[in-house]
Amino acid sequence: MKDSVRESLSYWGLYKKMRQVKRLFIPQNISFGNSKEQYFLYYEPEQIASDKVIIWVHGGGWNAGTPKYFDFVGQYAANAGYHFVSIGYRLSPKNKYPCQIEDVCNGYKAAIQWLNERNIDTSKVIISGSSAGAHLSSILCYSKSVQKEYDTDVSNIIGFIGLGGPYCFSDQTSLSVKILLNQLFAKGFDRTNGEPCSLMTKNSIPMLLIQSRNDGLIDFSCAEQFYKKAKSIGNECELYEVADKKNTHSWYTAGMFLETREENQGLDKFFSWIENIGKTMIC
C-alpha cells in the first residue's frame, strides 16, 4: 500500500486516541502578540523529573494546528516530569512567511522571560517541533541571520529534535507539500530565505532528526540532506530512522505521544536522547 494512502487511513485511529487522552494538567495561556494565534501554553509538572525545559512548535502544514489542538503532547511531557512550553504562530495562507518564524522567535523569547520571572531554570532548553514545526524550530536553532534579525539568544538551547520536518525544498518534495509551500510563501519570495538547509550555520546545538521511510508527505531524503549539511559544517547530529509499525507522518511526528515509551520506539528515542544530552556527545 502506498505511503500516502496509509497516511490517510491512519487519521481515524489517531483522532480516536486523541479523544481518549485525560487532561491531567491545565496549562497556562500566555499571549505574546496582538493576534489570537500569538500565544504559548505552559504545562507545570506535578513532580519534576528533569532540570530541562522542552519548548515545542506544532505542525499542521503552516496553515493549521494550534498549541491547544496538540494539548496531548503537553499532557504527556508534563506527566513525564518536564516543564513544557508549546508555542503558537500566525498561520498561512493569510499570513505569509516570515510571519511564522518571527512569531516562533518572539514566542521563544517571551516564554524564556516568563519562565525566568517565575524562577524556573531555563539554562537547559530542548527545542523540538513536528513537521512544519520542525521546519520553523530548526531555523530558530541554526540560522544566525534569523537570530540576529529577531534578536534571539539561543545560548541556553542544549539540543534540537526535529520530527518529520521539511528541511529541504527539492524535486523530491511531494505535491501536497508543494501546495502548502505555495500558500506559505508570497509569489516571488526567495525560498532559500525560508529553507532550513540553506539557512543552517555552524553552532554547538546537538541535533536529533527523527524520520520515517514510510512517510507519505516528507521524503526520507529531506532529513538525509539536512543531516549531511550539518555534518559538513561540523554540527553534532544524529539521524534516527523510525522502526515502529505506526510510521506514517502524523503518527511519528505527533501521534507517538499518544502511546507509551514501551509501545513506541520513536517516543523512547525522543526522551532517551533528552535524558542523555549533555552526558555524551552524539555525532
Side-chain angles (χ1 to χ4, degrees):
M1 187 184 298
K2 290 185 177 180
D3 293 327
S4 57
V5 176
R6 290 181 66 244
E7 176 68 26
S8 299
L9 294 176
S10 72
Y11 295 149
W12 185 86
L14 185 66
Y15 296 148
K16 181 180 179 181
K17 274 214 166 187
M18 286 173 62
R19 290 194 297 269
Q20 296 172 347
V21 173
K22 295 181 180 179
R23 298 197 73 210
L24 302 175
F25 305 89
I26 305 301
Q28 296 185 62
N29 186 320
I30 298 92
S31 297
F32 61 86
N34 295 325
S35 170
K36 65 179 182 179
E37 296 168 332
Q38 295 170 309
Y39 72 95
F40 65 83
L41 297 180
Y42 169 66
Y43 295 77
E44 175 77 28
E46 288 185 3
Q47 295 184 338
I48 298 172
S50 175
D51 59 352
K52 294 156 187 167
V53 174
I54 300 175
I55 296 183
W56 171 270
V57 183
H58 69 80
W62 302 282
N63 67 358
T66 65
K68 294 177 182 177
Y69 182 82
F70 288 94
D71 174 72
F72 63 92
V73 182
Q75 296 292 330
Y76 192 102
N79 197 39
Y82 287 89
H83 296 283
F84 184 87
V85 173
S86 182
I87 297 176
Y89 50 89
R90 286 169 289 174
L91 301 174
S92 68
K94 178 181 179 181
N95 302 286
K96 300 297 184 182
Y97 189 90
C99 285
Q100 293 75 22
I101 190 59
E102 177 184 1
D103 287 352
V104 168
C105 288
N106 288 337
Y108 169 76
K109 291 188 296 182
I112 294 297
Q113 179 180 346
W114 189 87
L115 292 170
N116 286 338
E117 289 172 352
R118 284 149 185 82
N119 296 316
I120 296 171
D121 183 8
T122 60
S123 63
K124 297 178 181 179
V125 174
I126 303 294
I127 298 291
S128 184
S130 65
S131 195
H135 164 267
L136 295 169
S137 53
S138 67
I139 294 175
L140 164 68
C141 289
Y142 298 104
S143 173
K144 288 183 180 178
S145 61
V146 167
Q147 293 161 11
K148 181 179 180 180
E149 182 172 359
Y150 299 113
D151 190 26
T152 306
D153 179 8
V154 298
S155 60
N156 57 344
I157 298 175
I158 65 168
F160 164 76
I161 304 177
L163 306 167
Y167 310 108
C168 307
F169 309 150
S170 66
D171 293 338
Q172 291 177 292
T173 302
S174 68
L175 177 60
S176 296
V177 174
K178 287 179 180 178
I179 292 172
L180 292 171
L181 290 172
N182 288 338
Q183 293 179 348
L184 177 65
F185 296 115
K187 187 176 181 180
F189 182 84
D190 182 357
R191 295 188 179 185
T192 60
N193 291 323
E195 182 188 44
C197 208
S198 296
L199 292 171
M200 185 195 297
T201 50
K202 181 175 173 55
N203 69 18
S204 60
I205 302 173
M207 173 194 309
L208 171 64
L209 303 178
I210 298 177
Q211 203 84 11
S212 170
R213 290 190 185 275
N214 299 101
D215 189 324
L217 294 177
I218 308 294
D219 194 84
F220 192 82
S221 64
C222 186
E224 286 182 314
Q225 291 178 55
F226 199 51
Y227 168 80
K228 290 176 181 177
K229 172 67 180 289
K231 296 283 286 184
S232 71
I233 62 176
N235 287 350
E236 297 172 32
C237 52
E238 179 180 359
L239 175 55
Y240 173 81
E241 182 177 339
V242 175
D244 301 285
K245 291 183 179 180
K246 293 179 179 177
N247 52 23
T248 58
H249 183 79
S250 294
W251 263 109
Y252 82 88
T253 61
M256 67 179 189
F257 293 97
L258 297 167
E259 301 195 315
T260 66
R261 291 177 65 168
E262 291 73 25
E263 292 173 315
N264 193 292
Q265 296 176 66
L267 181 65
D268 185 61
K269 178 65 178 181
F270 181 94
F271 282 105
S272 295
W273 194 85
I274 292 175
E275 291 161 1
N276 291 319
I277 195 71
K279 297 179 182 178
T280 58
M281 306 302 283
I282 298 172
C283 59

